[in-house]
Amino acid sequence: SASPTQNQVIAGWKMYPQIPQYLVSRSEMHQFIERCMKAVGVKNSHAMALADVLVEGDYRGHYSHGLNRLDIYLKDMKSGICAKDGEPVIEKSTVATALVNGNNLMGPVVGNFCMDLAIQKAKEVGIGWVSAYGSNHYGIAGFYSMQALKCGFIGMSCTNTSPLVVATRAKECTLGTNPISVAAPALDGDSFVLDMATSAVALGKIEVQQRRNEEVPEGWGCDSNGKATTNPTQILTGGGQLPLGGSEATSGYKGYGLSMLVEVFCGMLSGSHYSNNIRRWKETDKVANLGQCFFAINPGCFAPNFEKRMSDLLNIHRTLEPSDPSLPVLIPGDPEALHIAECDHHGAIPYHVNVVDHMNSVAKELGVDLLPTNRTIDP
């Protein structure tokens, strides 16, 4: 089997088919993020860690968690609510497990430390499970699960987040979008990479519809009375997002259950804040104290030929006859692979012009060099 090719991308898969885009290389974006973070007092290694995960998010097509989120990290640093100095600390450890105090550092700093630790334990005893508290927003969950692939291991990561989601039958937001990512290696560099929120949709998609003054599909959110609505303003002001599956009638209780599962792994195991104890989204009135979980498993401890069976599983599904001939069946990780192929075709990442223009205005205030805007893709 083979992962999606560049030809499939050039044949028509585009991120913003009707919107002009700036092209910014990965190195240009990486350096820009580093400059911005250093301007607010973040040390070099931590700035690099943040740049790594944000650029990877954009490169994989998760624009909601790339450059678009730089504002949040800058705000946390400017307000002093997130620590600029220090390193995570192991508070408890066994041969296979660890509890880490993130010391209120940026999420990517904590995440890299914990995933490295989980992988090291998996190398030694076959499995590593690390829970962390005292962390902050860490970007795309897949950035951490995929680190295990380099060793031929299965990786997993999840995090709790600010309460934005309403539990099935409730009115109040008490759960986060609580993403889960699992990555598993197949042959020849191919892989399964699941990276998903446990809410029906990302918050950013609802915000976009509100700016466009357009309704959202039913099942994305509810109003202040807990009733499903297609009005994005009602969702964002007093209402909330619905769990994966939407309403109870369409099995939203399953997404609700998955979100609670993330809290068990993240908040309950680590002793971090959880549920509606976590600060509200985009507020910096108190320390976030997010809980996060990371594990690595060496499949060699189980039945032989794991990667061969994984490749067969992926091939079974990629070769299924599609219900729509123009839309081939994909497996988790393929949409990201398609976006990566498009970026490689251009030699840069396509960005919505408004996102780059906004971040350049922020950069001017910080007194750092701006992102280049001399390369564009017209619709």
Side-chain angles (χ1 to χ4, degrees), residues 44 55 65 96 114-115 132 178 195 197 232-233 247 279 298 305 307 325-327 329 332 341 343 373:
N44 185 59
V55 173
H65 284 66
C114 292
M115 199 66 212
N178 292 8
D195 192 351
T233 301
S247 68
R279 71 184 185 191
N298 179 356
N305 300 314
E307 293 186 356
S326 67
L327 298 172
V329 178
C343 292
T373 56

Side-chain angles (χ1 to χ4, degrees), residues 204-266:
K205 292 186 178 180
I206 299 173
E207 291 172 332
V208 168
Q209 293 302 97
Q210 183 188 42
R211 286 194 292 270
R212 292 176 175 174
N213 198 27
E214 296 177 2
E215 290 189 336
V216 301
E218 190 165 341
W220 281 20
C222 63
D223 61 20
S224 58
N225 293 312
K227 303 301 181 184
T229 180
T230 57
N231 184 326
T233 301
Q234 290 180 351
I235 297 170
L236 296 171
T237 55
Q241 294 177 247
L242 288 175
L244 185 66
S247 68
E248 184 173 3
T250 53
S251 301
Y253 50 84
K254 295 181 180 179
Y256 168 36
L258 285 172
S259 186
M260 292 276 283
L261 175 66
V262 170
E263 281 291 13
V264 172
F265 288 167
C266 296

Side-chain angles (χ1 to χ4, degrees), residues 115 118-119 122 142-156 183-185 295-297 299:
M115 199 66 212
I119 290 169
F143 182 78
Y144 308 98
S145 64
M146 287 189 298
Q147 291 179 26
L149 296 177
K150 299 169 188 175
C151 303
F153 293 173
I154 300 168
M156 189 197 86
F295 83 60
I297 297 175

